[in-house]
Amino acid sequence: MSPASASSPRLRALVLGSGGGGGVPQWNCGCRVCRLAWSGDERVKPRTQSSLAVSVDGANWLLLNASIDMRQQILATPALQPKGDGRHSPIAAVLLTNTDVDHAAGLLSLRERQPFTIWGTQAILDTIGANRIFDVVGRAIVPRHAVKLGEAFEPLPGLTLEVFPVPGKVPLWLEENEVKTDQIGEGTVGVAVEAGGRTLLYAPGCARVTDDLKMRIAAAHALFFDGTLFADDEMIVNGLGDKTGRRMGHMPLSGPGGTLEELAACAPARRILIHINNSNPILIEGSPEEARVKAAGWDIAFDGMEVVP
Ligand code: MLT
Ligand code: MN
Ligand code: ZN
């Protein structure tokens, strides 16, 4: 690291997990992408489930979501491993963007009486608060801070965040008969991370692009966006499930109203797809679908990717 970068705040993001729910390969899946991954084919990188780590000093890190693959991600990431003698962790804070299993269950891996802080909207904190298994992460040691939509807060010195509503739905494990799949509220949010005048936007789940989201994206230097499915019906067509992407609260990349079309004009120079489901053919290097998203200006996140916005 040069002296200049050591002294001035410099926003850095590490992709801990670039896969969607289930990861790549998924434990019970033999779809085209998973088959290549199971066989060790170099065209498909294995991916853990959705999470990003951000820091300005490289010593203290904020996790954007607590992936169910947390332990594996820490093992793969020296920056997140304990330094010095005794108990220690560079993980100083965790922000949740929703309460899906892939994004929240990793809190259970952070349960060994280690101080850090948890941040989320009141609705998100209420959901984990109503589920007593999360009390294993003791509130006296790990306080939970509610944040309001559109209000700036500083979970770590020099790192300013703002959460904003993104159309989405209740987590799968709380679904009842009627599910509104593009609800605007506190249940699904995106987050803007700002440090030293640089802004990164993270929205791993998005059912629909709103005007507010377009404005925020236009002002950001880097965007990590929902890359769950390539085609809305790919789970159905491949015999993997009976839901469309939109039914799962994720807009597809292709097709009318898809991400490639919706964000063609307003995405920043650095735009990266994350939370990519194992059914998505962009995960196969050299595939026509990968070529299409790259030609549209998108990068495809991989575990261990580092981004300096
Ligand atoms: C999703 O993003 O749709 C969820 O991860 C689904 C799930 O919990 O498996
Ligand atoms: Mn998910
Ligand atoms: Zn699969």
Side-chain angles (χ1 to χ4, degrees), residues 37-51:
W38 287 122
S39 73
D41 191 298
E42 284 182 357
R43 285 172 293 171
V44 175
K45 289 186 175 72
R47 284 171 162 85
T48 62
Q49 295 165 73
S50 189
S51 172

Side-chain angles (χ1 to χ4, degrees), residues 20-22 98 100-103 169 171-173 204 228 248-250 275:
N98 70 10
D100 277 342
V101 170
D102 51 355
H103 284 161
K169 65 164 184 64
L172 184 58
W173 56 278
T228 308
M248 296 189 288
H250 297 289
H275 188 280

